Amino acid sequence: MLIANEVTREYRSGDQEIAVLRNVSFTIPQGAFVAIVGPSGSGKTTLLGLLAGLDTPTSGKVILDGHDLTAMSENERAKLRGEKVGFVFQSFQLIPTLTARENIQVPLELQGTPGAAARADELLERIGLARRGHHFPMQLSGGEQQRVAIARAFSNAPRILFADEPTGNLDAGTGARVFELLESLNREAGSTIVLVTHDAALAERAGRTIRLSDGAIVGDTEAAA
Amino acid sequence: MSARSAQLISLTWRESRGARRRLLLYMSAISLGVAALVAIDSFADNVTRSIREQSRSLLGGDIAFSSRRPFTKEQKAILDTVQKRSSAQFARVTTFPSMGLVQRSGKTRLVQVRAVSPNFPFYGVITTTPAGRWSSLQSGPVALVDPSLLVALDARLGDTLSLGMMKFVIGATLKDVPGTPGVAEIIGPRVFIPEKYLPETQLLVFGSTAEYGVLAKLPSSADPRKVVNPIRSSLDKQQLRAVTVTQSQENATEAIQQLSQFIGIVGLVALLLGGVGVASGVRAFVSRKIDTVAILRCLGASSGQVLAMYVVQAAAMGILGAIAGAAIGIAVQFGLASVFGDFLPVDVEVTLEPAAIMTGIVIGGWIALIFSLRPLLALRNVSPLQTLRRDADSEVLRMRWNDVPRVLVNVALIGSVVLIAVLRATDLKQGLGFSAATLGVIAVLTLAAIFLSFVARKALRSGWPYVIRQGVANLYRPANQTRSVILSLGFGAFLITTLYLVQSNLLKRFEFNAAASQANLVFFDIQDDQLEGVDSIVSAKGRIVQSAPIVTMRISRINDRPVERIVADSRARRRSDSLARAQGGAAAESVRKRNADEADARKRGAPPRQSGRAGWALNREYRSTYRDTVTSGEKITSGKWFSSAALDGSSDTTEMSLEEDVAEELRVKLGDVITWNVQGVEIPARVTSLRQVTWTRFEPNFFAVFASAAFRSAPKQHVILASVADGMTVATLQRDIVSRYPNVSSIDLTLVKETVARIVAKVSTAMRFMALFSLAMGIPVLFAAVAATRRDRIREGVLLKTLGATRGQIIRILLAEYTLLGLLGSLTGMVLAIGGGWAVTHYVFEASYAPALVPALGIAALMLGLTVAIGLLAGRDVFKETPMSALRDI
């Protein structure tokens, strides 16, 4: 499903090149649940951006569902994201001027997929917010916003879902419930999940953990069966 | 439309919630510019249509012939030929000023008498109060008068009105007379009398100021131009003026076209200023949308989809802003009719003009769109990575200088400005000049902003107080607002100051310097044998300030070249030049080169070519005088006053002094000899001096002044200026003179001053309205410019608060920054306006120009105050926001 091959990412700061990721390589099969963990500044978020096609590596390749992201233009990657990828962010990243229902519809509308409203209603029901579909993000609690964001991520039945600290802005109880919802929807959709997290408890629920430190992989372990 | 497009449009509409009001506010920056264009274009169309529909009524006939003296045998022969050849019917009208006296009240007033034949006018209907009295005008010695005359003379219907030696009964007041603007009534109320009683008035004596007119009505199939054009040279030779209905229409629309052009320029500049405001506002809007765009990109939106969404939002709000402007313009259009109605020769029917409205909306909408595109383009480059890691707005929105779409939009923007200017100007040169000037102003202001940032960076000293350093540093730090504020402010200051300078220079033309002349009463048309008697009556009740003889004459030859030859040669050359230019190529180039060579030769001091222009100066009747001294209202600018030989009449050729502007019109220089036809006698005179005349003084001024000796015995009349103590004595003196000498007319100069003041007040009000309108425009534009960096300011401000800055410190930082911005922007705008004011006054109005520095500095100070106030007002959000909420946002 997802192949990272000798991926390196460097940034220029003044007249220095700083390597945030160095020669990272791994393969994630379809349906896997992978957690990427590491201390702050280890390159987790940078790696997530590269794997999702939000950014391009300085060198190396990223192949997502058979598509070489490094050989594609930004618009081609955007199209691929719309068709195959879902996102859940730490700060929810809902569009403030759209209602909950409308936020869920966005990926389908961008691709021109018919039946977007019906799909959104279905997901709202699924996440327990059928009566709140007409509310704007600022009228929802943090947990409710994240649930809407999760529904949006699954609206286009993604092949792979990237989650960046999905419970980072939520209290423990809410975070746990939100994560259960994520897992539940994923079981139904059969997507691959790539999760970036600080939370050790969350990471334990993944089938595999890739550990990053100082831009390089320092550990790659499968969970005990 | 595909389902995808429909969904995208739906998403665009929904996403615009919350931003619509703000975007509409930014777009309102163009509303006032659109309003000006729609108002003036609609009004000009109304006037032009009314003139076209009423053109025959304006003239009263198909052709109007006129002469300043009774028709000669030759002139009558021309008219007879016209009548025979074209089967025309003729009506006659003789117009002249005279004193009207009401016996019952004893009051007298200068009036405009029109003695008309029974079939006058051929077109148009003259209505009276009571109704229907026009048809009884010819039934006896009846006078129909303007209502204001009854008030001025304390008269009523049925009273006897004396005009010269004849008495008339006031039969009715005039209600509507086609062809004369209402303001003319203020200067001289009209009195219509039957033509047959004109000789009995004995008012038209030697040298009387009168216009003798004949109206021709042609068969309906005849073209007036085809009647007049073949006899044009004969008409000119016999000094018989002919105006066709088409020419009359063109003359009548000329003034409104000039007004339309001026207000159109104001509207266009206001529109461009609005465009600058739109660009600033949309920049602020774009900053707010970075997060949303990043999310959309994550979710699969292409850069094209994202750009399309926000271009559609901006375009929709731009159209709405333009429509709002058009609605304001329609309201103003109705107001224009009441402001300018008195000055127009027709009754203007004010109606909606769809073409003008649509043009205003299209131009305004386009300007809003093209100025929005520049900042909107940056949204293409917003990376979806911003959802994970947010950079500063300025970094996110940065575009390469050679980004192709950006370059194309810049070219389209400049091209739009040039195209709109050229389409609205009277000719290509003026349009290109205007666009070059506007782009030049923008370029200078941009350079001024860059200069300020540079100087701020270099001048900053570590020893300065922190608040000053912070304020100055804000001028050059990344994402500063220096350029947008100076551009908006400077452009606004430029517009307002230019308007003010043009207004003050135009109105100077109307300032009559009565105090300098000390006279408040003038008597004219005094015959030679009446001079002593009038002098004695006036001296008994007042003081004679000035007395001048007037000799009427025409130019016969200039340096032995007959006037007819000069005029004919000039016309022939103009025709051949025009033909050559139309052909283009080598012929046109030859004409251009010849004119350029002649211009160079004149610069080197070569004599001017005689037959250039100035048909009016060659053919007109001159009312000249003779005296031995220069008056206080004149200044010799070259040559010398008359020699003693000329003064005592011992030289062969008399000497004359010519007014410098008419000398230039005639292409005459010192030493040239002009031969004058004075009542059939030819008198040569050498030009020995040129004079500058202060035309605005209340005293007789003359194009040509001669040494006394040559004209003492010439047929002449006189004018006397007097100073009289009070209004009662003025009225008494006027009555005494007109009773004894009915042909002598007089003007109460106090009345003229009041009339001029009323006209000037009206014009000033209109000009002040436009200046206020420009100021009103400047405020939303400045707000938009400041709004662009509002978020950064708030973040920065609350950070400072968190670190311990007091409210007073933050205010002083803002004060330092905005004072410097305001100072440079308003002063640069002011300096540019001094040049702009000259250009408009010189090229559009062909008037003299003197920059009014003190008021210009006052406007600059006002704009500085406005900038600081708006800056502090925008900064108040810093105090409203709590540190916690702002930091959470970071």
Side-chain angles (χ1 to χ4, degrees):
Chain A
M1 174 68 225
L2 183 62
I3 302 169
N5 187 9
E6 299 286 321
V7 169
T8 298
R9 187 65 171 99
E10 290 168 349
Y11 290 103
R12 178 166 282 279
S13 175
D15 47 4
Q16 275 188 304
E17 290 285 346
I18 298 171
V20 178
L21 282 177
R22 287 173 287 139
N23 297 319
V24 168
S25 297
F26 55 81
T27 303
I28 297 174
Q30 177 63 37
F33 182 169
V34 178
I36 299 176
V37 300
S40 184
S42 59
K44 308 188 295 298
T45 303
T46 305
L47 179 60
L48 186 75
L50 293 170
L51 295 176
L54 304 184
D55 192 10
T56 47
T58 311
S59 63
K61 276 191 201 299
V62 175
I63 301 181
L64 188 146
D65 200 28
H67 298 272
D68 182 357
L69 297 182
T70 49
M72 294 166 83
S73 69
E74 175 52 49
N75 279 339
E76 285 167 340
R77 292 201 298 273
K79 188 165 184 298
L80 187 67
R81 286 196 294 272
E83 288 167 356
K84 295 177 189 282
V85 180
F87 288 94
V88 180
F89 301 95
Q90 180 176 356
S91 53
F92 325 134
Q93 297 287 25
L94 294 178
I95 296 174
T97 50
L98 300 179
T99 62
R101 176 182 292 103
E102 289 164 352
N103 264 286
I104 296 169
Q105 283 174 215
V106 169
L108 296 172
E109 286 181 324
L110 288 172
Q111 300 308 314
T113 308
R119 175 73 173 141
D121 285 335
E122 181 195 323
L123 283 165
L124 277 170
E125 186 72 46
R126 184 69 182 80
I127 63 176
L129 289 175
R131 287 203 190 145
R132 307 292 299 280
H134 60 287
H135 285 174
F136 291 95
M138 64 190 227
Q139 295 171 299
L140 303 173
S141 68
E144 288 167 341
Q145 287 187 58
Q146 194 61 298
R147 281 192 272 163
V148 172
I150 290 169
R152 180 181 68 187
F154 281 103
S155 65
N156 60 345
R159 297 269 289 159
I160 185 166
L161 185 133
F162 293 96
D164 179 29
E165 301 280 10
T167 58
N169 282 5
L170 304 171
D171 61 79
T174 309
R177 283 193 293 280
V178 161
F179 197 75
E180 274 164 24
L181 176 64
L182 181 68
E183 281 183 308
S184 164
L185 284 172
N186 190 51
R187 276 195 294 277
E188 290 166 21
S191 314
T192 305
I193 295 185
V194 177
L195 168 74
V196 164
T197 185
H198 278 119
D199 189 335
L202 274 186
E204 274 173 21
R205 290 160 82 153
R208 175 180 169 190
T209 302
I210 296 174
R211 216 169 284 281
L212 281 185
S213 177
D214 201 20
I217 294 177
V218 297
D220 187 349
T221 52
E222 299 276 346
Chain B
M1 186 190 293
S2 68
R4 190 175 190 158
S5 303
Q7 282 173 322
L8 193 63
I9 288 173
S10 172
L11 177 59
T12 303
W13 171 247
R14 283 181 269 124
E15 199 282 326
S16 69
R17 281 182 205 123
R20 283 175 216 152
R21 214 180 319 170
R22 200 180 296 271
L23 208 48
L24 195 55
L25 183 66
Y26 299 145
M27 294 303 176
S28 68
I30 53 132
S31 295
L32 291 183
V34 172
L37 288 181
V38 167
I40 192 54
D41 285 352
S42 296
F43 184 63
D45 286 350
N46 287 166
V47 172
T48 306
R49 185 169 34 75
S50 298
I51 287 173
R52 200 172 45 244
E53 287 167 1
Q54 299 172 44
S55 56
R56 282 209 154 89
S57 307
L58 277 180
L59 200 59
D62 293 309
I63 307 171
F65 296 95
S66 61
S67 170
R68 296 290 294 274
R69 51 188 173 150
F71 291 121
T72 61
K73 200 172 58 181
E74 292 80 7
Q75 289 172 334
K76 282 181 187 167
I78 293 174
L79 291 171
D80 285 343
T81 308
V82 166
Q83 193 167 33
K84 284 193 188 102
R85 278 194 198 157
S86 55
S87 308
Q89 298 173 56
F90 279 174
R92 288 174 302 279
V93 55
T94 307
T95 308
F96 57 94
S98 175
M99 297 306 286
L101 167 70
V102 168
Q103 303 286 350
R104 185 179 58 77
S105 66
K107 290 191 174 175
T108 182
R109 176 82 154 86
L110 184 73
V111 299
Q112 290 290 321
V113 180
R114 295 201 186 170
V116 298
S117 60
N119 53 357
F120 174 94
F122 289 121
Y123 304 110
V125 175
I126 297 175
T127 56
T128 58
T129 308
R133 294 293 173 94
W134 178 258
S135 53
S136 56
L137 173 66
Q138 303 288 338
S139 60
V142 172
L144 302 177
V145 307
D146 272 328
S148 60
L149 188 63
L150 295 189
V151 174
L153 297 182
D154 199 15
R156 47 182 186 248
L157 297 187
D159 274 349
T160 301
L161 175 71
S162 294
L163 294 171
M165 305 306 289
M166 181 72 191
K167 290 180 174 41
F168 297 86
V169 173
I170 299 176
T173 56
L174 297 162
K175 192 170 166 201
D176 187 28
V177 181
T180 39
V183 73
E185 194 187 316
I186 304 167
I187 299 164
R190 294 159 297 191
V191 175
F192 282 87
I193 61 170
E195 180 194 39
K196 61 187 173 194
Y197 296 107
L198 190 50
E200 291 173 51
T201 65
Q202 297 181 33
L203 285 171
L204 295 184
V205 296
F206 170 76
S208 292
T209 314
E211 185 174 89
Y212 299 84
V214 165
L215 293 178
K217 182 182 176 185
L218 303 176
S220 54
S221 55
D223 181 348
R225 287 171 295 186
K226 288 190 174 145
V227 171
V228 169
N229 288 347
I231 58 169
R232 184 59 76 183
S233 54
S234 305
L235 291 169
D236 289 345
K237 192 175 171 183
Q238 297 307 324
Q239 281 134 17
L240 185 60
R241 195 162 159 256
V243 175
T244 63
V245 68
T246 315
Q247 280 172 297
S248 162
Q249 196 179 307
E250 284 164 9
N251 293 344
T253 52
E254 195 184 327
I256 191 65
Q257 297 299 347
Q258 262 207 333
L259 178 71
S260 165
Q261 199 189 349
F262 175 62
I263 299 184
I265 289 174
V266 172
L268 199 53
V269 176
L271 205 56
L272 292 176
L273 176 62
V276 170
V278 161
S280 300
V282 171
R283 202 170 299 123
F285 169 78
V286 160
S287 291
R288 286 171 172 266
K289 289 297 174 182
I290 290 173
D291 294 329
T292 299
V293 169
I295 295 168
L296 287 169
R297 296 289 270 139
C298 267
L299 299 178
S302 66
S303 56
Q305 281 177 313
V306 155
L307 186 63
M309 279 175 67
Y310 292 103
V311 166
V312 164
Q313 287 184 17
M317 292 302 121
I319 294 286
L320 283 178
I323 290 173
I328 298 170
I330 290 168
V332 170
Q333 173 199 355
F334 284 81
L336 284 177
S338 64
V339 170
F340 294 110
D342 281 350
F343 300 95
L344 296 169
V346 293
D347 293 326
V348 179
E349 193 195 343
V350 183
T351 56
L352 295 184
E353 297 284 343
I357 295 169
M358 281 313 300
T359 304
I361 292 174
V362 166
I363 292 178
W366 174 252
I367 291 286
L369 179 63
I370 200 75
F371 274 85
S372 306
L373 266 180
R374 284 192 85 239
L376 282 174
L377 279 181
L379 286 176
R380 295 170 306 142
N381 300 336
V382 172
S383 166
L385 203 54
Q386 296 300 316
T387 50
L388 296 177
R389 181 178 294 115
R390 186 72 158 82
D391 295 320
D393 290 0
S394 56
E395 282 305 310
V396 175
L397 299 174
R398 190 187 297 275
M399 282 191 287
R400 289 192 324 273
W401 68 269
N402 56 354
D403 177 67
V404 170
R406 185 190 192 195
V407 169
L408 288 175
V409 166
N410 286 340
V411 167
L413 204 153
I414 293 171
S416 300
V417 171
V418 172
L419 181 66
I420 293 171
V422 164
L423 288 174
R424 290 202 65 89
T426 48
D427 54 51
L428 181 65
K429 194 173 156 190
Q430 198 183 72
L432 289 175
F434 170 78
S435 15
T438 306
L439 294 170
V441 167
I442 292 174
V444 168
L445 287 167
T446 307
L447 286 172
I450 294 170
F451 172 73
L452 180 62
S453 297
F454 174 78
V455 167
R457 191 192 296 269
K458 294 292 178 200
L460 198 62
R461 294 287 177 266
S462 55
W464 291 355
Y466 168 73
V467 292
I468 303 290
R469 273 188 286 125
Q470 182 68 14
V472 170
N474 284 348
L475 296 173
Y476 63 81
R477 55 129 191 236
N480 66 73
Q481 59 183 353
T482 304
R483 198 176 295 195
S484 60
V485 171
I486 286 196
L487 196 56
S488 309
L489 167 66
F491 213 87
F494 165 71
L495 177 62
I496 296 165
T497 313
T498 302
L499 269 178
Y500 179 84
L501 291 175
V502 168
Q503 169 203 319
S504 68
N505 277 279
L506 289 184
L507 290 179
K508 258 199 210 125
R509 286 169 134 182
F510 294 98
E511 283 168 12
F512 284 88
N513 196 344
S517 67
Q518 298 174 347
N520 58 353
L521 190 54
V522 61
F523 295 95
F524 58 97
D525 282 351
I526 304 169
Q527 300 301 298
D528 216 5
D529 57 355
Q530 296 170 331
L531 181 62
E532 206 178 309
V534 171
D535 193 304
S536 125
I537 296 173
V538 172
S539 300
K541 289 195 163 65
R543 180 176 64 87
I544 296 198
V545 172
Q546 193 179 347
S547 176
I550 296 180
V551 182
T552 53
M553 57 186 69
R554 290 184 182 272
I555 297 176
S556 179
R557 290 195 295 283
I558 298 180
N559 291 330
D560 292 328
R561 275 189 86 206
V563 152
E564 297 82 9
R565 179 79 188 276
I566 297 172
V567 171
D569 285 352
S570 175
R571 277 219 189 96
R573 179 169 154 148
R574 272 205 302 278
R575 264 198 302 274
S576 104
D577 283 357
S578 184
L579 212 59
R581 281 193 202 98
Q583 282 172 355
E589 181 55 28
S590 163
V591 165
R592 189 206 62 78
K593 189 175 179 316
R594 188 199 65 219
N595 289 340
D597 288 346
E598 283 173 0
D600 285 341
R602 279 203 297 281
K603 281 181 193 161
R604 292 193 304 270
R609 181 174 57 78
Q610 194 64 64
S611 57
R613 34 190 290 229
W616 73 269
L618 289 167
N619 289 323
R620 62 165 287 155
E621 182 180 82
Y622 284 79
R623 289 178 166 251
S624 308
T625 193
Y626 57 86
R627 50 177 143 83
D628 295 343
T629 52
V630 183
T631 65
S632 55
E634 300 173 326
K635 192 173 84 170
I636 303 287
T637 53
S638 62
K640 277 197 277 202
W641 193 243
F642 307 136
S643 64
S644 47
L647 287 172
D648 64 26
S650 58
S651 72
D652 291 337
T653 307
T654 192
E655 292 176 7
M656 64 173 294
S657 175
L658 205 53
E659 192 269 335
E660 59 183 4
D661 289 335
V662 82
E664 193 180 322
E665 291 286 336
L666 291 170
R667 304 281 202 266
V668 158
K669 62 185 188 314
L670 293 178
D672 284 348
V673 173
I674 303 177
T675 304
W676 298 89
N677 183 325
V678 183
Q679 310 300 321
V681 177
E682 297 223 329
I683 301 178
R686 187 180 311 279
V687 178
T688 55
S689 62
L690 299 180
R691 282 167 302 124
Q692 185 186 74
V693 175
T694 309
W695 293 101
T696 53
R697 282 168 70 111
F698 268 151
E699 54 193 32
N701 293 306
F702 301 94
F703 285 125
V705 175
F706 295 83
S708 307
F711 287 93
R712 268 195 203 107
S713 53
K716 57 187 166 296
Q717 34 160 317
H718 298 265
V719 63
I720 285 177
L721 263 75
S723 173
V724 180
D726 52 65
M728 186 77 91
T729 316
V730 163
T732 312
L733 197 46
Q734 285 180 304
R735 191 198 56 213
D736 291 347
I737 292 286
V738 79
S739 302
R740 179 98 181 266
Y741 305 104
N743 60 288
V744 174
S745 300
S746 63
I747 300 176
D748 179 354
L749 296 177
T750 314
L751 199 63
V752 174
K753 258 197 301 174
E754 284 166 11
T755 304
V756 168
R758 266 207 296 279
I759 295 171
V760 165
K762 269 207 166 181
V763 175
S764 294
T765 305
M767 294 282 201
R768 252 179 235 124
F769 169 75
M770 286 199 296
L772 274 172
F773 153 94
S774 307
L775 190 66
M777 272 230 49
I779 295 172
V781 170
L782 264 178
F783 256 117
V786 167
T789 56
R790 187 175 157 274
R791 266 164 47 115
D792 286 341
R793 258 149 219 297
I794 290 173
R795 236 181 247 153
E796 195 176 279
V798 291
L799 266 173
L800 286 172
K801 270 168 67 173
T802 311
L803 296 172
T806 63
R807 189 185 182 103
Q809 284 174 313
I810 294 174
I811 288 175
R812 286 198 293 280
I813 291 169
L814 290 172
L815 206 56
E817 182 182 356
Y818 284 106
T819 302
L820 286 169
L821 283 172
L823 213 51
L824 186 70
S826 54
L827 286 176
T828 309
M830 185 194 84
V831 166
L832 289 169
I834 289 172
W838 169 82
V840 174
T841 312
H842 180 75
Y843 289 110
V844 177
F845 294 104
E846 296 176 356
S848 63
Y849 176 77
L853 284 179
V854 171
L857 280 167
I859 294 171
L862 177 68
M863 297 300 287
L864 167 63
L866 200 62
T867 308
V868 171
I870 289 174
L872 292 178
L873 211 60
R876 83 192 189 288
D877 289 336
V878 169
F879 309 116
K880 281 192 328 198
E881 196 88 10
T882 64
M884 205 53 229
S885 57
L887 288 171
R888 195 175 289 134
D889 226 4
I890 296 172

